[in-house]
Amino acid sequence: MADDSGDGISIFGKIKDKLIGKKQAEAAAGKHLTGRTDAGHKERLPPGQRLVEKWPVLDLGLQPNIPQDKWKLEVEGAVEAPLVWHWADFMAQPQIEDVSDIHCVTTWSLYDNTWTGVSAKHLLALVKPKPTATHVVFESHDGYTTNVPLASFDDDDVLIAHSWQGQPITTEHGGPVRIILPKLYLWKSAKWVRRIVFLEGDKPGYWEVRGYHNVGDPWTEQRYG
Ligand SMILES: Nc1nc2c(c(=O)[nH]1)N[C@H]1C(S)=C(S)[C@@H](COP(=O)(O)O)O[C@H]1N2
Ligand SMILES: [Mo]
């Protein structure tokens, strides 16, 4: 199925209702919880995680195809200076590179991912969140949303990323642009991001209202809750 809503962006696939239901049931049952914590980060692998070599793909079943010339990112809400970046604007911003590990709530971890893109710190300096802003919600082209505290977004290793290991992020992994927020489980790292909204208060996202933890710290196993 390809749906083009007139903005030049096609969405392929079908919502995976069965898989979504299964993940929701696993959250309710507390699957994969070990009860161990490693708040001090003594190990590189958080509790209950296993290392993989190949990067799995997880989504709702819908994969948007977003040509660069149709891509834009809107940043709005409780900020002094909302902005919209088209591709050239985005690429003209200062670029950073950061290496981090990925931890997915479904228990796989992938080490040493080199991300390139614009830092969250740079975006924050431009849009200037109002003192009353407390949370950030990422909205994506597949209808996915996820929320984080502003303090989690405001971190040195958070990127609005376009490349992984020096290559453009593929469509299946959320290209052309996804969020990378490595200190939290990967469901917080929105793929195909289209809008970043600053809020004066919290607004749980897609998985957060389906049993996933509101914060999602891998080191204290905040999988569900
Ligand atoms: N837009 C969007 N972002 C998303 C998701 C999604 O379904 N849609 N899934 C989340 C979940 S649950 C995970 S584990 C990771 C998977 O990213 P990957 O497919 O690149 O491994 O993306 C997160 N970001
Ligand atoms: Mo996930």
Side-chain angles (χ1 to χ4, degrees):
M1 180 191 76
D3 173 51
D4 186 331
S5 49
D7 55 4
I9 293 165
S10 313
I11 303 195
F12 293 88
K14 229 172 76 195
I15 286 271
K16 294 177 187 158
D17 290 310
K18 263 173 82 173
L19 177 71
I20 293 164
K22 182 166 167 268
K23 286 175 83 173
Q24 197 170 354
E26 288 178 357
K31 197 169 181 219
H32 307 308
L33 286 175
T34 67
R36 288 184 285 123
T37 64
D38 180 12
H41 298 213
K42 292 207 171 52
E43 309 287 336
R44 184 166 179 187
L45 202 58
Q49 296 296 113
R50 70 195 159 82
L51 193 58
V52 296
E53 300 289 328
K54 220 184 137 239
W55 188 6
V57 173
L58 281 97
D59 53 51
L60 306 176
L62 304 176
Q63 295 192 343
N65 179 42
I66 309 156
Q68 274 175 13
D69 64 333
K70 302 287 191 249
W71 181 87
K72 67 176 174 181
L73 178 68
E74 298 170 331
V75 187
E76 58 190 49
V79 294
E80 305 292 347
L83 62 76
V84 179
W85 281 335
H86 291 85
W87 189 257
D89 310 320
F90 173 62
M91 295 306 281
Q93 305 302 313
Q95 303 284 313
I96 68 157
E97 202 174 271
D98 188 73
V99 181
S100 58
D101 298 342
I102 287 175
H103 308 297
C104 173
V105 68
T106 61
T107 73
W108 56 268
S109 293
L110 183 69
Y111 287 167
D112 295 322
N113 303 281
T114 301
W115 300 105
T116 316
V118 174
S119 71
K121 293 272 188 195
H122 174 68
L123 179 70
L124 287 165
L126 291 179
V127 300
K128 300 185 190 71
K130 294 185 175 164
T132 47
T134 59
H135 289 78
V136 181
V137 169
F138 308 115
E139 298 178 4
S140 299
H141 281 283
D142 58 343
Y144 186 80
T145 60
T146 188
N147 59 309
V148 295
L150 175 53
S152 296
F153 185 62
D154 188 2
D155 205 341
D156 291 326
D157 56 5
V158 179
L159 280 87
I160 305 147
H162 56 72
S163 292
W164 175 75
Q165 319 296 52
Q167 299 296 323
I169 298 173
T170 58
T171 297
E172 58 180 6
H173 285 300
V177 172
R178 76 179 294 169
I179 301 295
I180 286 298
L181 205 153
K183 287 198 180 74
L184 300 178
Y185 283 121
L186 191 61
W187 86 76
K188 297 290 188 180
S189 293
K191 313 201 300 190
W192 311 296
V193 65
R194 68 187 299 186
R195 197 172 291 134
I196 300 177
V197 186
F198 289 76
L199 297 178
E200 297 170 332
D202 202 0
K203 188 181 176 196
Y206 188 90
W207 282 118
E208 291 83 6
V209 301
R210 287 172 176 76
Y212 281 23
H213 196 280
N214 197 48
V215 179
D217 168 31
W219 301 97
T220 52
E221 251 199 340
Q222 292 178 335
R223 298 179 192 276
Y224 320 115

